[in-house]
Amino acid sequence: MGTFDFAPLYRSTVGFDRLFSLLDQAARVEPSTTWPPYDIEKVAEDEYRITMAVAGFTPDEIDLTQHDTVLVVTGQKKGQEGDRQYLHRGIAARAFRQTFNLADHVKVTGAALENGLLTVNLKREVPEALKPRRIAIGGAQTAKTAKTAIGQDDAPARLEDRAEAA
């Protein structure tokens, strides 16, 4: 698969730079993305779960960090097993770093490590100010009653009215 040049799109669009960066990142093949294996599932309408197979790692050897819309999961074995002599080593204990690009307003709500599976729960929480809201349509108003309702009056001011107001 060839690479795409997004430069012409950068010149003719405004505000889509994050989208083009994600497309460019997805086009690059990174060999480290194959380990550890993971699943991404949609649990509910705005809830997701990432499950990673991290056999042999303890909770203190795994670090989860969310910065804005990027979730980074890293694993680093702390101790070396110097006295053990392996005839076959099938359980991978190599360090890893996995990056997940999250949609706007998606936050990590919890994480657990059980039976060699790291489970990360995510939820989309859109702020009330950004949610769609229904706007009520009022009754028909004439231009004169609409201006009066908001405190405007196009009638010429009379001197007697100004004197009474003072």
Side-chain angles (χ1 to χ4, degrees):
M1 180 175 169
T3 60
F4 297 103
D5 182 20
F6 294 112
L9 296 173
Y10 282 115
R11 290 189 299 263
S12 62
T13 61
V14 176
F16 291 96
D17 50 335
R18 182 168 181 258
L19 174 66
F20 296 137
S21 324
L22 289 173
L23 289 172
D24 190 36
Q25 182 180 3
R28 281 187 256 122
V29 178
E30 297 180 22
S32 64
T33 61
T34 60
W35 197 85
Y38 62 90
D39 294 336
I40 301 174
E41 57 186 303
K42 186 172 185 173
V43 180
E45 182 63 30
D46 286 331
E47 295 182 25
Y48 305 91
R49 181 179 300 135
I50 299 172
T51 305
M52 299 178 75
V54 291
F57 284 86
T58 61
D60 61 326
E61 296 173 329
I62 298 174
D63 186 38
L64 282 102
T65 307
Q66 181 179 2
H67 179 45
D68 199 23
T69 60
V70 176
L71 173 65
V72 179
V73 182
T74 55
Q76 180 71 41
K77 292 297 282 181
K78 291 191 176 179
Q80 295 293 335
E81 300 137 15
D83 294 342
R84 293 186 180 181
Q85 182 180 9
Y86 290 96
L87 299 177
H88 171 75
R89 183 143 188 172
I91 299 173
R94 63 183 180 260
F96 66 88
R97 177 184 168 97
Q98 189 63 257
T99 303
F100 298 95
N101 292 304
L102 306 176
D104 292 334
H105 312 296
V106 172
K107 304 290 181 216
V108 175
T109 59
L113 181 63
E114 188 177 335
N115 298 327
L117 295 175
L118 174 66
T119 304
V120 181
N121 295 313
L122 305 140
K123 184 172 184 174
R124 178 182 296 131
E125 296 174 345
V126 179
E128 285 296 322
L130 298 177
K131 287 183 179 177
R133 61 184 176 96
R134 184 161 175 79
I135 300 169
I137 300 173
Q141 295 181 344
T142 63
K144 173 85 173 159
T145 58
K147 286 182 181 180
T148 305
I150 59 173
Q152 293 181 351
D153 189 7
D154 290 333
R158 297 184 309 184
L159 292 176
E160 298 88 36
D161 293 340
R162 288 189 186 171
E164 289 174 14

